[in-house]
Coordinates of all heavy atoms in Angstrom, one line a residue:
M1083 N 31.4 39.4 38.4 CA 31.7 40.6 39.3 C 30.4 41.4 39.5 O 30.1 41.7 40.6 CB 32.8 41.4 38.7 CG 33.2 42.6 39.6 SD 34.1 42.0 41.0 CE 34.9 43.5 41.5
L1084 N 29.7 41.8 38.4 CA 28.6 42.6 38.5 C 27.5 41.9 39.3 O 26.8 42.5 40.1 CB 28.0 43.0 37.2 CG 26.9 44.1 37.1 CD1 27.3 45.3 37.8 CD2 26.6 44.4 35.7
K1085 N 27.3 40.6 39.2 CA 26.3 39.8 39.9 C 26.6 39.9 41.4 O 25.7 40.0 42.2 CB 26.3 38.4 39.4 CG 25.3 37.5 40.1 CD 24.4 36.9 39.1 CE 23.5 35.9 39.8 NZ 22.2 36.5 40.0
C1086 N 27.9 39.9 41.7 CA 28.4 40.0 43.2 C 28.0 41.3 43.8 O 27.4 41.4 44.8 CB 29.9 39.8 43.3 SG 30.5 39.9 44.9
V1087 N 28.2 42.4 43.0 CA 27.8 43.7 43.5 C 26.3 43.8 43.6 O 25.8 44.3 44.6 CB 28.3 44.8 42.4 CG1 27.7 46.2 42.8 CG2 29.8 44.9 42.4
H1088 N 25.6 43.3 42.6 CA 24.1 43.3 42.7 C 23.6 42.6 43.9 O 22.8 43.1 44.6 CB 23.7 42.6 41.4 CG 22.2 42.6 41.2 ND1 21.4 41.6 41.6 CD2 21.4 43.5 40.5 CE1 20.1 41.9 41.3 NE2 20.1 43.1 40.6
C1089 N 24.1 41.4 44.2 CA 23.7 40.6 45.4 C 24.1 41.4 46.7 O 23.3 41.4 47.6 CB 24.3 39.2 45.4 SG 23.7 38.2 44.1
N1090 N 25.2 42.0 46.7 CA 25.7 42.7 47.8 C 24.8 43.9 48.2 O 24.4 44.1 49.3 CB 27.1 43.2 47.6 CG 28.0 43.1 48.8 OD1 27.6 42.6 49.9 ND2 29.2 43.6 48.7
V1091 N 24.4 44.6 47.1 CA 23.5 45.8 47.3 C 22.2 45.3 47.8 O 21.6 45.9 48.7 CB 23.4 46.7 46.1 CG1 22.4 47.8 46.2 CG2 24.8 47.3 45.7
I1092 N 21.6 44.3 47.2 CA 20.4 43.7 47.6 C 20.4 43.4 49.1 O 19.5 43.7 49.9 CB 19.9 42.5 46.8 CG1 19.5 43.0 45.4 CG2 18.8 41.8 47.4 CD1 19.1 41.9 44.4
S1093 N 21.5 42.7 49.5 CA 21.6 42.4 50.9 C 21.7 43.6 51.8 O 21.0 43.6 52.9 CB 22.9 41.6 51.1 OG 23.1 41.3 52.4
I1094 N 22.4 44.6 51.4 CA 22.5 45.8 52.2 C 21.1 46.5 52.4 O 20.8 47.0 53.5 CB 23.5 46.8 51.5 CG1 24.9 46.3 51.7 CG2 23.4 48.2 52.1 CD1 25.9 47.0 50.8
V1095 N 20.4 46.6 51.3 CA 19.1 47.4 51.4 C 17.9 46.6 51.9 O 16.9 47.2 52.2 CB 18.8 48.1 50.0 CG1 19.9 49.0 49.6 CG2 18.5 47.0 48.9
T1096 N 18.0 45.3 52.0 CA 16.9 44.5 52.4 C 17.0 44.0 53.9 O 16.1 43.4 54.4 CB 16.6 43.3 51.5 OG1 17.8 42.5 51.4 CG2 16.2 43.8 50.1
S1097 N 18.2 44.2 54.5 CA 18.3 43.8 55.9 C 18.8 45.0 56.7 O 19.4 45.9 56.3 CB 19.3 42.7 55.9 OG 20.6 43.0 55.4
E1098 N 18.5 44.9 58.0 CA 18.9 45.9 59.0 C 20.4 45.9 59.1 O 21.0 44.8 59.1 CB 18.3 45.6 60.3 CG 16.8 45.9 60.5 CD 16.5 47.3 60.6 OE1 17.3 48.1 61.0 OE2 15.4 47.7 60.1
P1099 N 21.0 47.1 59.2 CA 22.5 47.1 59.4 C 22.9 46.4 60.7 O 22.1 46.4 61.7 CB 22.8 48.6 59.5 CG 21.6 49.3 58.8 CD 20.5 48.4 59.1
E1100 N 24.0 45.8 60.7 CA 24.5 45.1 61.9 C 24.7 46.0 63.0 O 24.5 45.6 64.2 CB 25.8 44.3 61.5 CG 25.6 43.2 60.6 CD 26.9 42.4 60.2 OE1 27.9 42.7 60.9 OE2 26.8 41.6 59.3
D1101 N 25.2 47.2 62.7 CA 25.4 48.2 63.8 C 24.2 49.1 64.0 O 24.3 50.3 63.7 CB 26.7 49.0 63.5 CG 26.7 49.5 62.1 OD1 25.9 49.2 61.3 OD2 27.6 50.3 61.8
K1102 N 23.1 48.5 64.4 CA 21.8 49.1 64.4 C 21.8 50.4 65.3 O 21.2 51.4 64.9 CB 20.8 48.1 65.0 CG 19.4 48.7 64.9 CD 18.3 47.6 65.1 CE 17.0 48.1 65.1 NZ 16.5 48.7 63.9
E1103 N 22.6 50.4 66.4 CA 22.6 51.6 67.2 C 23.2 52.8 66.5 O 22.7 53.9 66.5 CB 23.4 51.3 68.5 CG 23.3 52.5 69.5 CD 24.1 52.1 70.8 OE1 23.8 51.0 71.3 OE2 24.8 52.9 71.3
D1104 N 24.3 52.6 65.8 CA 25.0 53.6 65.0 C 24.1 54.1 63.8 O 24.0 55.2 63.6 CB 26.3 53.1 64.5 CG 27.2 54.2 63.9 OD1 27.3 55.3 64.5 OD2 27.7 54.0 62.8
Y1105 N 23.4 53.1 63.2 CA 22.4 53.4 62.1 C 21.3 54.3 62.6 O 21.0 55.3 62.0 CB 21.9 52.1 61.6 CG 20.8 52.2 60.6 CD1 21.0 52.8 59.4 CD2 19.5 51.7 60.9 CE1 20.0 52.9 58.4 CE2 18.5 51.8 60.0 CZ 18.7 52.3 58.7 OH 17.7 52.4 57.8
E1106 N 20.8 54.0 63.8 CA 19.7 54.8 64.3 C 20.2 56.2 64.7 O 19.5 57.2 64.5 CB 19.1 54.1 65.6 CG 18.3 52.9 65.2 CD 17.2 53.1 64.3 OE1 16.5 54.1 64.2 OE2 16.9 52.1 63.5
K1107 N 21.4 56.3 65.2 CA 22.0 57.6 65.5 C 22.2 58.4 64.2 O 21.8 59.6 64.1 CB 23.4 57.5 66.2 CG 23.4 57.3 67.6 CD 24.8 57.3 68.1 CE 25.0 56.5 69.3 NZ 26.4 56.4 69.8
W1108 N 22.7 57.8 63.2 CA 22.9 58.4 61.9 C 21.5 58.9 61.3 O 21.4 60.1 60.9 CB 23.5 57.4 60.9 CG 23.6 57.9 59.5 CD1 24.6 58.8 59.0 CD2 22.7 57.7 58.4 NE1 24.3 59.0 57.7 CE2 23.2 58.4 57.3 CE3 21.5 57.0 58.3 CZ2 22.6 58.3 56.1 CZ3 20.9 56.9 57.1 CH2 21.4 57.6 56.0
K1109 N 20.5 58.1 61.4 CA 19.2 58.5 60.9 C 18.6 59.7 61.7 O 18.0 60.6 61.1 CB 18.2 57.3 61.0 CG 18.3 56.4 59.8 CD 17.4 55.2 59.9 CE 16.0 55.6 60.0 NZ 15.0 54.4 60.1
S1110 N 18.8 59.7 63.0 CA 18.3 60.7 63.8 C 19.0 62.1 63.6 O 18.4 63.1 64.0 CB 18.4 60.3 65.3 OG 19.7 60.4 65.8
R1111 N 20.1 62.1 63.0 CA 20.8 63.3 62.7 C 20.3 64.1 61.5 O 20.9 65.1 61.1 CB 22.3 63.1 62.6 CG 23.0 62.8 63.9 CD 24.5 62.7 63.7 NE 24.8 61.5 63.0 CZ 25.8 60.7 63.2 NH1 26.7 61.0 64.1 NH2 26.0 59.6 62.5
G1112 N 19.3 63.6 60.9 CA 18.6 64.4 59.9 C 18.4 63.7 58.6 O 18.3 64.3 57.5
F1113 N 18.4 62.3 58.5 CA 18.1 61.7 57.3 C 16.6 61.8 57.0 O 15.8 61.4 57.7 CB 18.5 60.2 57.3 CG 18.1 59.5 56.0 CD1 18.9 59.6 54.9 CD2 16.9 58.8 55.9 CE1 18.5 59.0 53.7 CE2 16.5 58.2 54.7 CZ 17.3 58.3 53.6
V1114 N 16.3 62.6 55.9 CA 14.9 62.8 55.5 C 14.9 62.5 54.0 O 15.5 63.1 53.2 CB 14.4 64.2 55.8 CG1 13.0 64.4 55.3 CG2 14.6 64.6 57.2
I1115 N 14.2 61.4 53.7 CA 14.2 60.9 52.3 C 13.8 61.9 51.3 O 14.3 62.0 50.2 CB 13.4 59.6 52.2 CG1 13.6 58.9 50.9 CG2 11.9 59.8 52.4 CD1 13.1 57.5 50.7
D1116 N 12.8 62.7 51.7 CA 12.3 63.7 50.7 C 13.3 64.8 50.4 O 13.2 65.5 49.4 CB 11.0 64.4 51.3 CG 9.9 63.4 51.4 OD1 9.9 62.4 50.7 OD2 9.0 63.6 52.3
E1117 N 14.3 64.9 51.2 CA 15.3 66.0 51.0 C 16.6 65.5 50.3 O 17.5 66.3 50.0 CB 15.8 66.6 52.3 CG 14.6 67.3 53.0 CD 15.0 67.8 54.4 OE1 16.2 67.8 54.7 OE2 14.1 68.3 55.1
I1118 N 16.6 64.2 50.0 CA 17.8 63.6 49.3 C 17.7 63.8 47.8 O 17.0 63.1 47.2 CB 18.0 62.1 49.7 CG1 18.0 62.0 51.2 CG2 19.2 61.6 49.0 CD1 19.3 62.5 51.9
K1119 N 18.4 64.7 47.3 CA 18.4 65.0 45.9 C 19.1 63.9 45.1 O 18.8 63.8 43.9 CB 18.9 66.4 45.6 CG 18.2 67.5 46.3 CD 18.1 68.7 45.6 CE 17.3 69.9 46.2 NZ 16.3 69.6 47.2
E1120 N 20.0 63.3 45.7 CA 20.8 62.2 45.0 C 20.0 61.1 44.5 O 20.4 60.4 43.6 CB 22.0 61.7 45.8 CG 23.0 62.7 46.1 CD 22.9 63.2 47.6 OE1 21.8 63.5 48.0 OE2 24.0 63.3 48.2
I1121 N 18.8 60.9 45.1 CA 18.0 59.7 44.7 C 17.6 59.7 43.3 O 17.8 58.7 42.6 CB 16.8 59.6 45.6 CG1 17.2 59.2 47.0 CG2 15.7 58.6 45.0 CD1 16.1 59.2 48.1
E1122 N 17.2 60.8 42.8 CA 16.8 61.0 41.4 C 18.0 60.7 40.5 O 17.9 60.0 39.4 CB 16.2 62.3 41.1 CG 14.9 62.6 41.7 CD 14.4 64.0 41.4 OE1 14.9 64.7 40.5 OE2 13.4 64.4 42.1
R1123 N 19.2 61.2 40.9 CA 20.4 61.0 40.1 C 20.8 59.5 40.1 O 21.1 59.0 39.0 CB 21.5 61.8 40.6 CG 22.8 61.7 39.8 CD 23.9 62.7 40.4 NE 24.2 62.5 41.8 CZ 25.1 61.6 42.2 NH1 25.7 60.8 41.4 NH2 25.3 61.5 43.5
F1124 N 20.7 58.8 41.2 CA 21.1 57.4 41.3 C 20.1 56.6 40.4 O 20.6 55.7 39.7 CB 21.0 56.9 42.7 CG 22.2 57.1 43.5 CD1 22.2 58.0 44.5 CD2 23.4 56.4 43.1 CE1 23.4 58.2 45.3 CE2 24.6 56.7 43.9 CZ 24.6 57.5 44.9
I1125 N 18.8 56.9 40.5 CA 17.9 56.2 39.6 C 18.1 56.4 38.2 O 18.0 55.5 37.4 CB 16.4 56.5 40.1 CG1 16.1 56.0 41.5 CG2 15.4 56.0 39.1 CD1 16.0 54.6 41.6
S1126 N 18.3 57.7 37.8 CA 18.5 57.9 36.4 C 19.8 57.6 35.8 O 19.9 57.2 34.6 CB 18.2 59.4 36.1 OG 19.2 60.3 36.7
E1127 N 20.9 57.7 36.6 CA 22.2 57.5 36.0 C 22.8 56.1 36.3 O 23.8 55.7 35.7 CB 23.2 58.5 36.6 CG 22.8 59.9 36.2 CD 23.8 61.0 36.8 OE1 24.7 60.6 37.5 OE2 23.5 62.1 36.6
N1128 N 22.3 55.4 37.3 CA 22.9 54.1 37.7 C 21.9 52.9 37.4 O 21.0 52.7 38.2 CB 23.3 54.1 39.2 CG 24.2 53.0 39.6 OD1 23.9 51.9 39.2 ND2 25.2 53.3 40.3
G1129 N 22.2 52.2 36.3 CA 21.3 51.1 35.9 C 21.2 50.0 37.0 O 20.2 49.4 37.2
V1130 N 22.3 49.7 37.7 CA 22.3 48.7 38.7 C 21.4 49.1 39.8 O 20.5 48.3 40.3 CB 23.8 48.4 39.2 CG1 23.7 47.4 40.3 CG2 24.6 47.8 38.1
I1131 N 21.5 50.3 40.3 CA 20.7 50.8 41.4 C 19.2 50.8 41.0 O 18.4 50.4 41.7 CB 21.2 52.1 42.0 CG1 22.6 52.0 42.5 CG2 20.2 52.7 43.0 CD1 22.8 51.1 43.7
R1132 N 19.0 51.3 39.8 CA 17.6 51.4 39.3 C 17.0 49.9 39.2 O 15.9 49.7 39.6 CB 17.6 52.0 37.9 CG 16.2 52.1 37.3 CD 16.2 52.9 35.9 NE 17.2 52.4 35.0 CZ 18.3 53.1 34.6 NH1 18.5 54.3 35.1 NH2 19.2 52.6 33.8
E1133 N 17.8 49.0 38.7 CA 17.3 47.6 38.6 C 17.0 47.0 40.0 O 16.0 46.4 40.2 CB 18.4 46.8 37.9 CG 17.9 45.3 37.7 CD 19.0 44.5 37.1 OE1 19.8 45.1 36.2 OE2 19.1 43.3 37.4
I1134 N 17.9 47.2 41.0 CA 17.8 46.7 42.3 C 16.6 47.3 43.0 O 15.8 46.7 43.6 CB 19.0 46.9 43.1 CG1 20.2 46.0 42.6 CG2 18.8 46.6 44.6 CD1 21.5 46.3 43.1
Y1135 N 16.4 48.6 42.8 CA 15.3 49.4 43.4 C 14.0 48.8 42.9 O 13.1 48.5 43.7 CB 15.4 50.9 43.1 CG 14.3 51.7 43.6 CD1 14.3 52.1 44.9 CD2 13.2 52.0 42.8 CE1 13.3 52.9 45.4 CE2 12.1 52.7 43.3 CZ 12.2 53.2 44.6 OH 11.1 53.9 45.1
G1136 N 13.9 48.5 41.6 CA 12.7 48.0 41.0 C 12.4 46.6 41.4 O 11.3 46.1 41.5
E1137 N 13.5 45.9 41.7 CA 13.4 44.5 42.1 C 12.9 44.3 43.6 O 12.1 43.4 43.9 CB 14.7 43.8 42.0 CG 14.8 42.3 42.3 CD 16.1 41.7 42.0 OE1 16.8 42.2 41.1 OE2 16.5 40.8 42.8
V1138 N 13.3 45.2 44.5 CA 13.0 45.0 45.9 C 12.0 46.0 46.5 O 11.4 45.6 47.5 CB 14.3 45.1 46.8 CG1 15.3 44.0 46.3 CG2 14.9 46.4 46.8
V1139 N 11.7 47.1 45.9 CA 10.7 48.1 46.4 C 9.4 47.9 45.6 O 9.5 48.0 44.4 CB 11.3 49.5 46.3 CG1 10.2 50.5 46.7 CG2 12.5 49.7 47.2
P1140 N 8.3 47.7 46.1 CA 8.0 47.5 47.6 C 7.9 46.1 48.0 O 7.4 45.8 49.1 CB 6.6 48.2 47.7 CG 6.0 47.8 46.3 CD 7.1 47.9 45.4
N1141 N 8.3 45.1 47.1 CA 8.1 43.7 47.5 C 8.8 43.2 48.7 O 8.3 42.4 49.4 CB 8.4 42.8 46.2 CG 7.6 43.2 45.0 OD1 6.4 43.5 45.2 ND2 8.2 43.1 43.9
K1142 N 10.0 43.7 48.9 CA 10.9 43.2 50.0 C 11.1 44.3 51.0 O 11.4 43.9 52.2 CB 12.2 42.7 49.4 CG 12.1 41.5 48.5 CD 13.4 41.0 48.0 CE 13.2 39.8 47.1 NZ 14.4 39.4 46.4
V1143 N 11.1 45.5 50.6 CA 11.4 46.6 51.6 C 10.8 47.9 51.1 O 10.5 48.0 49.9 CB 13.0 46.8 51.7 CG1 13.6 47.3 50.4 CG2 13.4 47.6 52.8
D1144 N 10.4 48.8 52.0 CA 9.8 50.0 51.6 C 10.8 51.0 51.1 O 12.0 50.9 51.3 CB 8.9 50.6 52.8 CG 9.8 51.0 54.0 OD1 10.4 52.1 54.0 OD2 10.0 50.1 54.8
D1145 N 10.3 52.1 50.5 CA 11.2 53.1 49.8 C 12.1 53.7 50.8 O 13.3 53.9 50.6 CB 10.3 54.1 49.2 CG 11.0 55.1 48.3 OD1 11.7 54.7 47.4 OD2 10.9 56.3 48.6
E1146 N 11.6 54.1 52.0 CA 12.4 54.8 53.0 C 13.5 53.9 53.5 O 14.7 54.3 53.7 CB 11.6 55.4 54.1 CG 12.5 56.2 55.1 CD 11.7 56.9 56.1 OE1 10.4 57.0 56.0 OE2 12.3 57.4 57.1
S1147 N 13.2 52.7 53.8 CA 14.2 51.8 54.3 C 15.3 51.5 53.3 O 16.5 51.5 53.6 CB 13.6 50.4 54.7 OG 12.7 50.6 55.8
F1148 N 14.9 51.3 52.0 CA 15.8 51.1 50.9 C 16.9 52.2 50.9 O 18.1 52.0 51.0 CB 15.1 51.0 49.6 CG 16.0 50.9 48.4 CD1 16.3 49.6 47.9 CD2 16.6 52.0 47.8 CE1 17.1 49.4 46.8 CE2 17.5 51.8 46.7 CZ 17.7 50.5 46.2
W1149 N 16.4 53.5 50.8 CA 17.3 54.6 50.7 C 18.1 54.9 52.0 O 19.3 55.3 51.9 CB 16.6 55.8 50.2 CG 16.1 55.6 48.8 CD1 14.9 55.5 48.3 CD2 17.0 55.5 47.6 NE1 14.9 55.3 46.9 CE2 16.2 55.3 46.5 CE3 18.4 55.5 47.4 CZ2 16.7 55.1 45.2 CZ3 18.9 55.3 46.2 CH2 18.1 55.1 45.1
S1150 N 17.5 54.8 53.1 CA 18.2 55.1 54.3 C 19.3 54.0 54.5 O 20.5 54.4 54.9 CB 17.3 55.1 55.6 OG 16.7 53.8 55.8
R1151 N 19.1 52.8 54.2 CA 20.1 51.8 54.3 C 21.2 52.0 53.3 O 22.4 51.9 53.6 CB 19.5 50.4 54.2 CG 18.7 50.0 55.4 CD 17.9 48.8 55.1 NE 17.0 48.5 56.3 CZ 16.0 47.6 56.2 NH1 15.8 46.9 55.1 NH2 15.2 47.4 57.2
F1152 N 20.8 52.4 52.1 CA 21.8 52.6 51.0 C 22.7 53.8 51.4 O 23.9 53.7 51.3 CB 21.0 52.9 49.7 CG 21.9 53.2 48.6 CD1 22.5 52.2 47.8 CD2 22.1 54.6 48.2 CE1 23.3 52.5 46.7 CE2 22.9 54.9 47.1 CZ 23.5 53.8 46.4
F1153 N 22.1 54.9 51.8 CA 22.9 56.1 52.1 C 23.7 55.9 53.4 O 24.8 56.5 53.5 CB 22.0 57.4 52.2 CG 21.7 57.9 50.8 CD1 20.4 57.8 50.4 CD2 22.6 58.4 50.0 CE1 20.0 58.3 49.1 CE2 22.3 58.9 48.7 CZ 21.0 58.8 48.3
Y1154 N 23.2 55.1 54.3 CA 24.0 54.8 55.5 C 25.2 54.0 55.1 O 26.3 54.3 55.6 CB 23.2 54.0 56.5 CG 24.0 53.6 57.7 CD1 24.4 54.5 58.7 CD2 24.3 52.3 57.9 CE1 25.1 54.1 59.8 CE2 25.0 51.8 59.0 CZ 25.4 52.8 59.9 OH 26.2 52.4 61.0
R1155 N 25.1 53.1 54.3 CA 26.2 52.3 53.8 C 27.2 53.2 53.1 O 28.5 53.0 53.3 CB 25.7 51.1 52.9 CG 26.8 50.3 52.4 CD 27.4 49.5 53.6 NE 28.4 48.5 53.0 CZ 29.2 47.8 53.7 NH1 29.2 47.9 55.0 NH2 30.0 47.0 53.2
M1156 N 26.7 54.1 52.3 CA 27.7 55.0 51.6 C 28.4 55.9 52.7 O 29.6 56.1 52.5 CB 26.9 55.9 50.6 CG 26.5 55.1 49.4 SD 25.6 56.2 48.2 CE 26.8 57.5 47.9
F1157 N 27.7 56.3 53.7 CA 28.3 57.1 54.8 C 29.4 56.3 55.4 O 30.5 56.8 55.7 CB 27.2 57.5 55.8 CG 27.7 58.0 57.1 CD1 28.2 59.3 57.2 CD2 27.6 57.2 58.2 CE1 28.6 59.8 58.4 CE2 28.1 57.7 59.4 CZ 28.6 59.0 59.5
K1158 N 29.1 55.0 55.7 CA 30.1 54.2 56.4 C 31.3 53.9 55.5 O 32.5 53.9 56.0 CB 29.5 52.8 56.8 CG 28.4 53.0 57.9 CD 28.9 53.7 59.1 CE 29.7 52.7 60.1 NZ 30.1 53.4 61.3
L1159 N 31.1 53.7 54.2 CA 32.2 53.5 53.3 C 33.1 54.8 53.2 O 34.3 54.7 53.1 CB 31.7 53.1 51.9 CG 31.1 51.7 51.8 CD1 30.4 51.6 50.4 CD2 32.1 50.7 52.0
N1160 N 32.4 55.9 53.2 CA 33.2 57.2 53.2 C 34.0 57.3 54.5 O 35.2 57.9 54.4 CB 32.3 58.4 53.1 CG 31.8 58.6 51.6 OD1 32.4 58.2 50.7 ND2 30.6 59.2 51.5
Q1161 N 33.5 56.9 55.6 CA 34.3 57.0 56.9 C 35.5 56.1 56.7 O 36.6 56.5 57.2 CB 33.4 56.5 58.0 CG 32.5 57.5 58.6 CD 31.8 57.0 59.8 OE1 31.5 55.8 60.0 NE2 31.6 57.9 60.8
V1162 N 35.3 54.9 56.2 CA 36.5 54.0 56.1 C 37.5 54.6 55.1 O 38.7 54.6 55.4 CB 36.0 52.6 55.6 CG1 37.2 51.8 55.1 CG2 35.2 51.9 56.6
E1163 N 37.1 55.2 54.0 CA 38.0 55.8 53.0 C 38.7 57.0 53.6 O 39.9 57.2 53.4 CB 37.2 56.2 51.8 CG 38.1 56.8 50.7 CD 39.2 55.9 50.2 OE1 39.1 54.7 50.3 OE2 40.3 56.5 49.8
E1164 N 38.0 57.8 54.4 CA 38.7 58.9 55.1 C 39.7 58.5 56.1 O 40.8 59.0 56.2 CB 37.6 59.8 55.8 CG 36.8 60.6 54.8 CD 35.6 61.3 55.5 OE1 35.5 61.3 56.7 OE2 34.8 61.9 54.8
A1165 N 39.4 57.4 56.8 CA 40.4 56.8 57.8 C 41.6 56.3 57.1 O 42.8 56.5 57.5 CB 39.7 55.8 58.7
R1166 N 41.4 55.6 56.0 CA 42.5 55.1 55.2 C 43.3 56.2 54.6 O 44.6 56.2 54.7 CB 41.9 54.2 54.0 CG 43.0 53.5 53.3 CD 42.6 53.0 51.9 NE 42.2 54.1 51.0 CZ 43.1 54.8 50.3 NH1 44.4 54.7 50.6 NH2 42.8 55.8 49.5
A1167 N 42.7 57.2 54.1 CA 43.5 58.4 53.6 C 44.3 59.0 54.7 O 45.5 59.4 54.4 CB 42.5 59.4 53.0
L1168 N 43.8 59.1 55.9 CA 44.6 59.7 57.0 C 45.8 58.8 57.3 O 46.9 59.4 57.6 CB 43.7 59.9 58.2 CG 42.8 61.1 58.3 CD1 41.9 61.0 59.5 CD2 43.6 62.4 58.3
L1169 N 45.6 57.5 57.3 CA 46.7 56.6 57.6 C 47.8 56.7 56.5 O 49.0 56.8 56.8 CB 46.3 55.2 57.6 CG 45.5 54.7 58.9 CD1 44.9 53.4 58.7 CD2 46.4 54.8 60.1
V1170 N 47.4 56.8 55.3 CA 48.4 57.0 54.1 C 49.1 58.3 54.3 O 50.3 58.4 54.1 CB 47.6 56.9 52.8 CG1 48.5 57.3 51.6 CG2 47.1 55.5 52.6
K1171 N 48.4 59.4 54.7 CA 49.0 60.7 54.8 C 50.0 60.7 55.9 O 51.0 61.4 55.8 CB 47.9 61.7 55.1 CG 48.3 63.1 55.1 CD 47.1 64.1 55.3 CE 47.6 65.5 55.3 NZ 46.5 66.4 55.4
R1172 N 49.8 60.0 57.0 CA 50.7 59.9 58.1 C 52.1 59.3 57.8 O 53.1 59.5 58.4 CB 50.1 59.2 59.3 CG 49.0 60.0 60.0 CD 48.5 59.2 61.1 NE 47.3 59.9 61.6 CZ 46.5 59.3 62.5 NH1 46.7 58.1 63.0 NH2 45.4 59.9 62.9
R1173 N 52.0 58.4 56.8 CA 53.3 57.7 56.4 C 54.1 58.6 55.7 O 54.9 59.0 55.4 CB 52.9 56.4 55.6 CG 52.2 55.4 56.4 CD 51.9 54.2 55.6 NE 51.2 53.2 56.5 CZ 51.0 52.0 56.1 NH1 51.3 51.6 54.9 NH2 50.4 51.2 56.9

């Protein structure tokens, strides 16, 4: 299971998102890597993310691309979770 998560995260951070137009809109709304305080927390508290970061940056992807793709994916997952919660609430 952990290997699956590991491979999934590597795929997310090393390739362009499929919904490139939405990704670019999201980035243009103010994603600035230097202002993301969660990065230090992810690196220090999450061994899987720390390992993947060390594995792919800078050999496969640059630092900014890694984090922008990672946080964009988190943003999209939050959108899905919020939509699911609304559906459950309506029932």
Side-chain angles (χ1 to χ4, degrees):
M1083 180 76 162
L1084 189 56
K1085 181 125 175 101
C1086 179
V1087 169
H1088 187 269
C1089 292
N1090 218 5
V1091 173
I1092 288 177
S1093 174
I1094 289 167
V1095 298
T1096 59
S1097 58
E1098 288 285 332
E1100 291 179 11
D1101 49 352
K1102 189 165 174 67
E1103 188 176 314
D1104 192 45
Y1105 172 65
E1106 293 301 328
K1107 277 187 208 175
W1108 174 83
K1109 278 178 55 177
S1110 71
R1111 287 187 289 220
F1113 176 80
V1114 179
I1115 191 169
D1116 295 335
E1117 296 176 9
I1118 305 291
K1119 301 215 182 330
E1120 293 105 316
I1121 290 174
E1122 290 178 17
R1123 183 175 56 85
F1124 276 111
I1125 292 290
S1126 66
E1127 295 177 4
N1128 191 314
V1130 173
I1131 298 300
R1132 181 175 48 249
E1133 181 182 330
I1134 293 168
Y1135 180 84
E1137 187 177 324
V1138 301
V1139 174
N1141 299 325
K1142 296 179 183 173
V1143 67
D1144 64 86
D1145 189 59
E1146 184 173 349
S1147 295
F1148 179 96
W1149 291 112
S1150 65
R1151 292 170 184 168
F1152 178 82
F1153 284 109
Y1154 175 70
R1155 181 66 172 172
M1156 288 182 55
F1157 167 75
K1158 295 303 279 186
L1159 290 172
N1160 284 334
Q1161 281 186 323
V1162 169
E1163 181 58 27
E1164 288 172 4
R1166 187 197 65 74
L1168 282 173
L1169 284 173
V1170 168
K1171 189 177 179 179
R1172 288 183 191 167
R1173 292 181 177 188

